[in-house]
Amino acid sequence: MTAATIPGLNGTDDTVPTKHAELLAWVQEVAELTQPDRVVFADGSDAEFERLSNQLVEAGTFIRLNEEKKPHSFLAQSDPSDVARVESRTFICSEREEDAGPTNNWMAPDKMRSLMNELYRGCMRGRTMYVVPFCMGPLGAEQPKLGVEITDSEYVVVSMRVMTRMGQAALDKMGTDMPFVKALHSVGAPLEPGQNDVPWPCNDTKYITHFPETREIWSFGSGYGGNALLGKKCYSLRIASAMAHDEGWLAEHMLILKLISPEDKVYYIAAAFPSACGKTNLAMIHPTVPGWRAETLGDDIAWMRFGEDGRLYAVNPEFGFFGVAPGTNWSSNPTAMRTIEAGNTVFTNVALTDDGDVWWEALENQPDHLTDWLGQPWTPDSGRKAAHPNSRYCTPMSQCPTLAPEWDDPQGVPISAILFGGRRKSTVPLVNQAFNWQHGTFMGATMSSEQTAAAEGKVGSVRRDPMAMIPFLGYNVGDYLQHWIDVGKNADEAKLPKIFYVNWFRRGDDKRFLWPGFGENSRVLKWIVERIEGTADAQSTPIGYVPSASDLDLDGLDVDPNDVDEALAVNSKDWQAEIPLIEEWLEFVGDKLPSGIRDEFEALKNRLDS
Ligand code: GTP
Ligand code: SPV
Ligand code: MN
């Protein structure tokens, strides 16, 4: 097939639903390079979803779940090698290496382009190439953030429909000449004539590449989540962080939560925790403190810019949740369970029950027999996990029972508090308030967390993860930290969100969690609100303002009081031991480390020594 025979690409066929010249030229160029059998523009309609999901069932990629238990929902079990983001294969290809910085993999853009062009050559043979227009954030925004993903994966098309505002409406916004992010994706598994497809095509060679200057994304070899749904981490964090740096706003790995006090006062809170460290759970919290309510605006990504009133406003660019399944259940996260149960959900790498439902570790009603995520028979004593630890549900936000009515408002919501947090067994207290914006930036900059299953790598080893952005920065981390400091310098500090650092994951000597977490985290949120209002007490410690147990509302909490004290403790010996680790990290950041961060580090050391 030649490009000229692709219907409409030469401008003669009105089945091509756009006259956007740059888009058409790009589609033609990619089709010539990748040589698909067909080119289809995705319209985002129900009929298209129906058609593609049926096709995926036939191909063996999707298992249709029991209509009564999970209406209109599907299970995909991936290739066992394609289960998480591949950070070692993720590149920021800025023109200058120093603009990618020490935390990213870098390759010169020309070199990467020629290398990947060879991978892309003929890579869609035997497949359909989908052109998937999408918008990140509300379509009604003054300057909607548009993108087009070209992909040869039906799984990606149906998932993009859940996760983004995808289809004709986004294409219409593009008109004939609106700029858009070009996002090219291939699973890298061409089919020769007569060759049978596999349920989960992918390639051992993987590249997740970003060209920040030209706002392009090139992804090859993986069909999984953050590697393949390019509107998410690739666009809304890596490319958007570079845009935000240029334009004076923030693109962050943060949930957005609306908290309502018993007096009906509303507070919006954004929180950055690394992958699989509790964002979705906090975004959907059911407060246990009487009279407090919570609503959800986003569970993974926040774009924040200053409003005319000088406050920082946050918008969630996404349209669905791509949540961690294991650990989710009716007691830890009933909101997620209700969102999923409403149907229209794509599960990946969870286990299948004998009656066509799904199961994962910690879900109620563990069956005696299952098909595990690898397609093998499983029983409770088989000694293996039934679901992959990074198995996910992909479900529409609109089904969330606690969705805040203002979730689609292009204005966004004014943020009162920013929380940073990681997964630390020791040292880091349950909650700690920064002295000011720059100190809060230092807290974020030196955040640390134990590795989880959300990316390849050794689970459990502690790494520094500034603002939970280390895998998602589209530029130099030093410039990024300076950008955070500048955001504070250019604002009226009184109107800026107050910054806090939380750790739900501290453990006692016997390895149990010291704090019950989940809904009980509302007790910490209540203290945070009272700090904003100036009504709660705290101790001034070397690391920040930390409450005593008596400063928290612990009414009715069924926990050993010693555990709460231990969870809140700031142990100077532990922090002295932390200092060389922070130092090592700041040295790694290198020459571009902002002096403001260095000053905060010196001040911390002085406070610990005195
Ligand atoms: P990504 O989608 O990868 O960005 O993850 P996330 O930050 O949204 O994490 P999520 O809320 O899905 O939580 C990940 C894991 O942490 C799940 O297994 C949860 O059960 C567990 N978790 C979440 N909140 C808490 C908490 O307050 N305490 C404890 N002990 N575990 C928690
Ligand atoms: C994360 O890893 O932070 C996720 C899942 O939210 S993924 O979309 O795969 O990046
Ligand atoms: Mn995430």
Side-chain angles (χ1 to χ4, degrees):
M1 184 191 65
T2 66
T5 63
I6 297 170
L9 274 188
N10 49 14
T12 56
D13 187 330
D14 60 7
T15 61
V16 171
T18 176
K19 295 197 158 57
H20 196 294
E22 191 184 343
L23 171 59
L24 289 172
W26 179 55
V27 169
Q28 172 150 2
E29 181 197 321
V30 173
E32 276 170 10
L33 177 65
T34 61
Q35 296 165 30
D37 280 2
R38 259 161 266 104
V39 176
V40 171
F41 280 75
D43 62 13
S45 64
D46 290 346
E48 175 182 85
F49 185 90
E50 216 49 53
R51 193 175 68 242
L52 292 178
S53 46
N54 285 334
Q55 213 174 301
L56 283 160
V57 170
E58 266 164 46
T61 311
F62 268 3
I63 297 166
R64 186 184 299 280
L65 297 174
N66 184 322
E67 196 58 32
E68 267 159 34
K69 315 224 172 215
K70 296 286 183 296
H72 210 230
S73 296
F74 303 89
L75 167 60
Q77 289 165 333
S78 80
D79 186 285
S81 69
D82 198 21
V83 295
R85 285 181 292 100
V86 282
E87 294 180 7
S88 64
R89 309 301 308 158
T90 301
F91 290 79
I92 300 297
C93 296
S94 46
E95 292 292 337
R96 300 186 309 173
E97 182 168 8
E98 67 182 86
D99 290 332
T103 62
N104 287 309
N105 300 308
W106 177 85
M107 195 188 286
D110 285 352
K111 194 170 159 205
M112 181 62 89
R113 283 182 200 275
S114 46
L115 184 161
M116 289 190 74
N117 271 326
E118 289 322 303
L119 294 172
Y120 282 134
R121 198 173 300 288
C123 73
M124 296 191 187
R125 272 199 309 269
R127 298 191 183 278
T128 302
M129 176 176 125
Y130 296 92
V131 182
V132 184
F134 62 93
C135 180
M136 299 313 296
L139 279 158
E142 230 169 87
Q143 291 180 304
K145 288 277 181 282
L146 300 161
V148 175
E149 177 161 353
I150 291 184
T151 179
D152 54 8
S153 161
E154 286 81 13
Y155 170 88
V156 166
V157 182
V158 300
S159 303
M160 283 293 284
R161 181 176 187 255
V162 177
M163 294 306 298
T164 72
R165 291 145 173 103
M166 183 278 259
Q168 194 59 44
L171 192 60
D172 291 344
K173 284 277 167 195
M174 288 177 55
T176 54
D177 58 359
M178 287 287 281
F180 65 98
V181 168
K182 295 185 180 122
L184 173 54
H185 170 254
S186 172
V187 293
L191 292 168
E192 299 312 326
Q195 185 184 343
N196 283 336
D197 204 357
V198 292
W200 186 275
C202 59
N203 194 306
D204 288 343
T205 300
K206 293 177 174 52
Y207 281 93
I208 319 299
T209 299
H210 308 72
F211 303 97
E213 282 105 351
T214 53
R215 321 284 199 224
E216 287 171 282
I217 303 156
W218 286 15
S219 167
F220 181 90
S222 170
Y224 193 79
N227 301 329
L229 312 179
L230 302 185
K232 194 172 175 57
K233 297 302 168 52
C234 299
Y235 184 153
S236 296
L237 289 177
R238 297 195 192 95
I239 296 292
S241 66
M243 293 175 169
H245 181 236
D246 294 348
E247 298 166 9
W249 48 284
L250 293 165
E252 299 296 332
H253 191 201
M254 291 182 182
L255 67 95
I256 311 169
L257 168 73
K258 176 182 178 184
L259 199 61
I260 310 160
S261 76
E263 298 76 35
D264 279 338
K265 195 157 176 204
V266 168
Y267 302 86
Y268 297 100
I269 294 176
F273 311 152
S275 302
C277 291
K279 288 184 299 302
T280 300
N281 278 274
L282 187 62
M284 298 179 181
I285 190 171
H286 275 233
T288 52
V289 187
W292 289 75
R293 285 168 295 143
E295 292 176 359
T296 308
L297 288 118
D299 81 324
D300 201 50
I301 302 179
W303 286 352
M304 299 191 286
R305 53 181 88 232
F306 286 100
E308 273 165 22
D309 61 359
R311 295 191 69 188
L312 201 54
Y313 284 73
V315 162
N316 172 15
E318 300 195 274
F319 201 54
F321 303 123
F322 188 66
V324 177
T328 308
N329 62 39
W330 289 100
S331 103
S332 68
N333 194 344
T335 306
M337 292 305 298
R338 285 174 62 199
T339 310
I340 292 167
E341 299 265 295
N344 311 304
T345 303
V346 176
F347 298 89
T348 304
N349 290 339
V350 302
L352 178 69
T353 67
D354 294 346
D355 57 356
D357 201 353
V358 285
W359 193 81
W360 49 77
E361 274 62 32
L363 186 57
E364 288 85 357
N365 304 322
Q366 175 180 296
D368 297 331
H369 180 267
L370 289 167
T371 306
D372 72 10
W373 72 278
L374 291 161
Q376 304 293 320
W378 181 95
T379 57
D381 52 16
S382 47
R384 299 174 274 122
K385 293 214 146 97
H388 187 276
N390 191 40
S391 55
R392 301 261 168 177
Y393 55 81
C394 176
T395 196
M397 255 175 78
S398 58
Q399 295 178 181
C400 176
T402 59
L403 193 64
E406 58 275 45
W407 72 283
D408 196 31
D409 183 349
Q411 263 266 179
V413 294
I415 299 296
S416 297
I418 291 176
L419 279 49
F420 294 122
R423 194 180 270 270
R424 288 293 302 268
K425 291 187 186 70
S426 67
T427 315
V428 179
L430 177 62
V431 59
N432 170 21
Q433 182 184 4
F435 298 122
N436 52 47
W437 181 268
Q438 179 169 291
H439 179 234
T441 299
F442 171 77
M443 281 180 176
T446 54
M447 229 173 94
S448 57
S449 196
E450 290 142 19
Q451 280 264 98
T452 67
E456 46 166 7
K458 190 164 163 279
V459 172
S461 58
V462 172
R463 72 165 169 182
R464 297 290 139 182
D465 189 349
M467 286 79 175
M469 281 290 279
I470 199 131
F472 309 121
L473 277 173
Y475 62 104
N476 188 301
V477 62
D479 291 332
Y480 169 72
L481 298 176
Q482 186 64 54
H483 183 54
W484 263 81
I485 289 183
D486 291 344
V487 162
K489 283 214 179 102
N490 299 332
D492 173 353
E493 177 123 19
K495 292 182 177 169
L496 280 172
K498 302 285 177 280
I499 299 180
F500 299 81
Y501 192 146
V502 300
N503 177 22
W504 315 139
F505 299 95
R506 202 167 182 179
R507 295 185 191 240
D509 292 338
D510 58 357
K511 297 200 170 143
R512 78 191 181 290
F513 288 116
L514 290 166
W515 178 252
F518 301 101
E520 304 294 7
N521 293 334
S522 57
R523 299 173 190 275
V524 174
L525 295 179
K526 181 180 175 198
W527 179 80
I528 285 171
V529 164
E530 290 168 349
R531 289 297 292 173
I532 294 167
E533 295 292 357
T535 57
D537 259 342
Q539 319 282 321
S540 183
T541 79
I543 62 165
Y545 298 116
V546 178
S548 308
S550 59
D551 299 321
L552 297 178
D553 181 346
L554 300 177
D555 259 10
L557 181 69
D558 185 19
V559 169
D560 182 343
N562 292 326
D563 281 4
V564 178
D565 289 339
E566 227 184 297
L568 290 168
V570 178
N571 186 330
S572 68
K573 230 170 79 200
D574 290 350
W575 279 94
Q576 290 290 4
E578 194 77 3
I579 291 296
L581 305 177
I582 296 176
E583 177 127 54
E584 193 186 327
W585 158 242
L586 297 183
E587 293 209 328
F588 179 73
V589 173
D591 292 348
K592 290 198 178 223
L593 182 76
S595 58
I597 299 291
R598 174 67 58 192
D599 295 347
E600 290 296 334
F601 183 50
E602 294 306 318
L604 170 64
K605 284 195 286 189
N606 287 337
R607 289 192 300 266
L608 282 168
D609 286 340
S610 60

